[in-house]
Amino acid sequence: MHCHLDLYPDHAAMVSECDRAHVRTLAVTTTPRAWPRNRDLAASTRHVRAALGLHPQVVAERSGELPLWVSYLDEARYVGEVGLDAGKQFYGSLALQKEIFRDILVACADRGGKILSVHAVRTTPIVLDMLEDYLPAQRGRVVLHWFGGSKADARRAVDLGCYFSINIEMLRKPHQRALVAGLPEHRLLTETDGPFTTVAHRPARPTDIAATVQALAAVRVTGVAATARLIRANLRVLLET
Ligand code: MN
């Protein structure tokens, strides 16, 4: 549900790799300028879908690209990467990030039927407030990418209809493993967030998702095949709603 195919050295080769390996991959983008190429490369594939993004970490320099983002919205079923980031480096643009994220949520609610991959660093309660205010569950579905909130935040996110895309880094720390183990199974999805996560000391590729499914199965104390079936069934439900 979340991989930056356009940030690998050979974008087109990564798209073909996902298709050849039958790994369903949502290619998120950080700026709407990346949309046309992502859209075009995904168009002829069975397994790759592109998402229209405006990443909170680039909002300080790229807020002027919001009209471009809006101009592509009707051709995008998936939206991402969008959200808020109050980490040290990006805290300065948080007010602007909130304006942009609000406009994005309002536009998605207006169009209806979008599926969003949402980033929330040190902002989970604010992101949940904004989802509650601007994007009712029946107007769009949200997948929280790399969830870093508390157990209370997680319960609230579940009540708001959110899904969680789980990556391998989230399953390396005991407290996060415990949190993931407590999430309702029908809201679990997976992601690599490549190339920003690592497997065997190199950037993760979409085909490395097998390692995430394996780690997730261990956390849930179920089999790998059953976990893979669960994730596929959850994705089907998400795409049908
Ligand atoms: Mn990302």
Side-chain angles (χ1 to χ4, degrees):
M1 283 310 294
H2 190 109
C3 186
H4 298 265
L5 293 183
D6 60 0
L7 299 184
Y8 291 83
D10 191 339
H11 181 185
M14 290 304 289
V15 171
S16 324
E17 183 176 303
C18 295
D19 226 29
R20 263 199 323 275
H22 296 208
V23 176
R24 294 187 191 278
T25 304
L26 184 62
V28 294
T29 54
T30 49
T31 150
R33 290 189 189 280
W35 169 253
R37 183 163 161 79
N38 274 273
R39 174 199 61 204
D40 293 349
L41 284 175
S44 58
T45 71
R46 282 201 61 195
H47 297 89
V48 181
R49 298 292 180 267
L52 173 63
L54 184 48
H55 197 296
Q57 294 179 348
V58 304
V59 157
E61 305 87 50
R62 292 182 180 268
S63 59
E65 293 180 21
L66 183 65
L68 183 64
W69 183 92
V70 172
S71 75
Y72 290 132
L73 186 56
D74 285 334
E75 39 183 82
R77 177 167 190 210
Y78 303 90
V79 167
E81 184 164 358
V82 295
L84 297 178
D85 193 314
K88 262 185 210 141
Q89 254 183 293
F90 308 104
Y91 189 78
S93 66
L94 188 58
L96 185 56
Q97 290 177 41
K98 284 186 199 168
E99 285 179 35
I100 297 289
F101 188 47
R102 180 200 59 213
D103 290 353
I104 286 172
L105 294 177
V106 167
C108 288
D110 172 64
R111 304 310 195 280
K114 307 295 185 196
I115 295 171
L116 288 74
S117 181
V118 172
H119 170 116
V121 168
R122 297 189 184 184
T123 50
T124 303
I126 309 174
V127 163
L128 297 178
D129 287 345
M130 292 181 71
L131 294 177
E132 198 166 65
D133 289 347
Y134 303 117
L135 184 64
Q138 70 275 15
R139 298 301 300 161
R141 299 318 294 264
V142 170
V143 182
L144 296 172
H145 136 71
W146 204 326
F147 182 77
S150 66
K151 279 191 178 175
D153 293 334
R155 273 194 298 275
R156 197 175 155 214
V158 169
D159 289 343
L160 289 171
C162 298
Y163 285 74
F164 301 82
S165 53
I166 309 299
N167 67 52
I168 194 102
E169 303 287 349
M170 295 171 65
L171 300 172
R172 285 179 178 149
K173 292 183 185 136
H175 73 279
Q176 280 222 299
R177 273 207 297 272
L179 188 139
V180 170
L183 295 174
E185 65 171 22
H186 65 286
R187 294 294 177 76
L188 295 175
L189 294 166
T190 53
E191 64 170 46
T192 56
D193 198 18
F196 297 112
T197 56
T198 54
V199 170
H201 307 288
R202 55 160 177 83
R205 306 167 80 85
T207 45
D208 292 313
I209 201 65
T212 308
V213 174
Q214 208 165 8
L216 185 57
V219 164
R220 300 184 55 249
V221 204
T222 54
V224 175
T227 300
R229 273 197 304 276
L230 171 73
I231 301 301
R232 285 201 194 92
N234 289 348
L235 178 61
R236 213 170 299 126
V237 170
L238 172 64
L239 298 186
E240 282 164 5
T241 47

